[in-house]
Structures are given as C-alpha cells and as structure tokens.
Amino acid sequence: MRPLAFARPAAQRLNALLRHVPVGAVWLAGLLPLALLVWDTVAANLGVEPIREIEHRLGLTALYFLIGGLAVTPALRLFGLNLIRYRRAIGLWPLPICACICWLGR
C-alpha cells in the first residue's frame, strides 16, 4: 500500500529530521509524564484524592504510550512516516507505568 499522495512531501521532510534523533532521546522523553506528575505532587496540584489522581494519570499515560506504539505501522503505511526504530521505546513504556499503578493499588 502506497502512502497518501498529499502526505508524501511532509513525511519525507519529517523522516529526514527524525533520522538524526537517537532512540535514547525517545526513552528520555518517556520520563516526561513522570516528571510532570512529580512536579504536580510537590506543588500539591493533585486535588483532594492525590492517590486516585496519580493512578488516573498513570493509567492515561500508559494508554497513550500503548496507542502510540500501535500507531507506528499505520503511520508508515498511510502517511509514509517511518517511526519503526522508535517502536520499542514507545511500546515498552506502558509496562513500568502499569507496574506503578499496581504498586499504588495495594
């Protein structure tokens, strides 16, 4: 299946930029939701039930990473956007996040 014609030039430019991004940067970017959660915890921005809010945010973050990992192949087939080398980094982040949810639920 060929990528959509209107998306081809933009995908080629984006693929050229992504070629220079190391996979380790994607692993580090996966820590960003945790850093934001710690920031909100320290700043007391989690509301009346902070554990519930932490579990909710971790669950949504795990879901976003899972959907992002599953969307890599359709992005390649439909738009020609090559994110295959980042698939593992994106797809493995839900595991430690779900482990945190299970640890908090005890």
Side-chain angles (χ1 to χ4, degrees):
M1 182 173 171
R2 291 179 50 197
L4 300 174
F6 67 87
R8 207 171 303 139
Q12 288 174 351
R13 285 192 300 264
L14 196 54
N15 284 335
L17 289 172
L18 288 174
R19 205 171 290 129
H20 303 292
V21 176
V23 178
V26 177
W27 282 103
L28 287 176
L31 291 173
L32 186 61
L34 178 64
L36 292 173
L37 187 61
V38 169
W39 177 267
D40 282 344
T41 303
V42 171
N45 291 335
L46 295 179
V48 178
E49 297 181 21
I51 298 296
R52 182 173 174 251
E53 181 66 24
I54 290 171
E55 286 179 345
H56 182 72
R57 286 190 188 185
L58 286 174
L60 284 177
T61 302
L63 188 61
Y64 294 153
F65 275 114
L66 187 63
I67 290 171
L70 292 173
V72 169
T73 301
L76 177 64
R77 291 186 181 166
L78 289 176
F79 306 115
L81 188 60
N82 191 4
L83 299 171
I84 296 296
R85 65 187 281 211
Y86 306 114
R87 177 189 280 168
R88 180 177 291 157
I90 296 169
L92 285 178
W93 268 115
L95 180 66
I97 293 171
C98 289
C100 288
I101 293 171
C102 291
W103 180 72
L104 282 173
R106 287 184 169 206

